[in-house]
Amino acid sequence: MRLETQLPDDLMEALSDGVILCNFVNRVHPKTVTTIYTSRDGASLSSVKAHKNIDSFLGGCKKLGVPPKKVCSRADISEHREPLKLCQTVESLVGLIDKETEI
């Protein structure tokens, strides 16, 4: 299973705008997240757009069948509150993937 993305050393910071997470959901099931806000020229994404991305990621997880108790909160991602809860969410999402699927 490959994400085809190089992850930086500060993983929580890299995930905090939701872009990588939305792309991951779409690798699990294409077109689950229809709009992903990105920045131009490496500038930081506005908090409003980052929150929309995170909400899309969380909504995609729920839509694909991640149990509600396993879905972290927006603050767990954007404010780095509970990294382990985010890990549980991603782990649950990965558990939904067919073993034959290449992401």
Side-chain angles (χ1 to χ4, degrees), residues 24-45:
F24 180 64
V25 167
N26 282 343
R27 294 287 297 198
V28 171
H29 192 274
K31 299 180 183 176
T32 299
V33 176
T34 56
T35 301
I36 303 173
Y37 296 96
T38 58
S39 62
R40 295 180 187 228
D41 304 323
S44 294
L45 200 58

Side-chain angles (χ1 to χ4, degrees), residues 10-89:
D10 189 351
L11 185 57
M12 285 305 294
E13 185 60 35
L15 299 177
S16 66
D17 67 4
V19 174
I20 293 171
L21 295 168
C22 287
N23 285 321
F24 180 64
V25 167
N26 282 343
R27 294 287 297 198
V28 171
H29 192 274
K31 299 180 183 176
T32 299
V33 176
T34 56
T35 301
I36 303 173
Y37 296 96
T38 58
S39 62
R40 295 180 187 228
D41 304 323
S44 294
L45 200 58
S46 74
S47 62
V48 171
K49 289 182 178 180
H51 286 170
K52 287 182 180 184
N53 283 343
I54 293 168
D55 291 342
S56 293
F57 164 72
L58 297 173
C61 288
K62 292 172 188 174
K63 181 179 178 181
L64 294 177
V66 174
K69 289 184 179 183
K70 297 285 185 173
V71 177
C72 63
S73 72
R74 180 198 298 164
D76 293 333
I77 300 169
S78 64
E79 298 173 18
H80 313 172
R81 280 196 190 158
E82 296 286 341
L84 289 178
K85 286 186 180 179
L86 174 57
C87 290
Q88 287 179 340
T89 303

